[in-house]
Amino acid sequence: MPTSDEASSAGSLEILSEHQCRELLASRSVGRIAFPFGDETEIFPVNYATDGAIVVFRTAPGTKLAQSVQSRVAFEVDDWDIEAKAGWSVVLKGVAQEVTAGADPFSKALRARKVDPLAPGEREHWIAVYPALLSGRRFRSGPG
């Protein structure tokens, strides 16, 4: 059994509340989305915005990202401070839905979010990820 000194030098792990996860999710603008594509799993960085726990991003029609619609997806955002040896990670699992042409007020509100894709070209295809599960952790490693 580790002593308290050994436990603190080994680092720490904190499970984040849903509220903390939403705040951290909203604090960034680039994350990674993972989704099935044929027999493989694709992972892409995307610029995004949030509406609560819903993530919305833009892509071009016909891209692999556009194929994530109606799929179960995972979205992850994180941060790491190398000097403090501390970081956090938030993972959202859910379903991707296209909201490009939705005339309902909710789709319109999602498209009003500020999403500035860094990838070149037209990115007018809007995809929202509706969460089924939102989880996160904050961690600190022990001294190197």
Side-chain angles (χ1 to χ4, degrees):
M1 186 102 188
T3 66
S4 60
D5 288 338
E6 289 171 328
S8 64
S9 68
S12 64
L13 177 68
E14 171 192 0
I15 302 302
L16 301 175
S17 70
E18 182 174 336
H19 177 75
Q20 290 171 309
C21 289
R22 286 178 182 221
E23 284 183 340
L24 289 169
L25 192 62
S27 74
R28 297 294 183 265
S29 62
V30 177
R32 287 167 292 284
I33 186 163
F35 58 95
F37 189 79
D39 292 337
E40 302 293 326
T41 299
E42 295 288 339
I43 301 173
F44 288 98
V46 293
N47 297 86
Y48 72 97
T50 61
D51 185 334
I54 298 169
V55 167
V56 64
F57 63 93
R58 295 167 39 193
T59 190
T63 62
K64 284 184 180 179
L65 270 175
Q67 302 302 311
S68 68
V69 174
Q70 299 299 326
S71 295
R72 296 184 61 88
V73 302
F75 182 85
E76 193 263 351
V77 62
D78 59 28
D79 191 38
W80 176 251
D81 182 329
I82 195 164
E83 291 180 17
K85 295 184 179 180
W88 56 265
S89 173
V90 171
V91 175
L92 180 156
K93 294 180 182 177
V95 176
Q97 299 280 331
E98 183 177 348
V99 293
T100 305
D104 60 286
F106 197 65
S107 292
K108 288 180 181 179
L110 288 172
R111 290 191 308 268
R113 297 290 177 186
K114 183 169 174 50
V115 179
D116 294 320
L118 295 176
E122 295 294 318
R123 301 277 182 244
E124 298 308 319
H125 194 75
W126 289 80
I127 298 174
V129 179
Y130 294 92
L133 177 69
L134 182 63
S135 63
R137 336 174 153 194
R138 191 177 321 270
F139 41 88
R140 178 176 303 277
S141 66

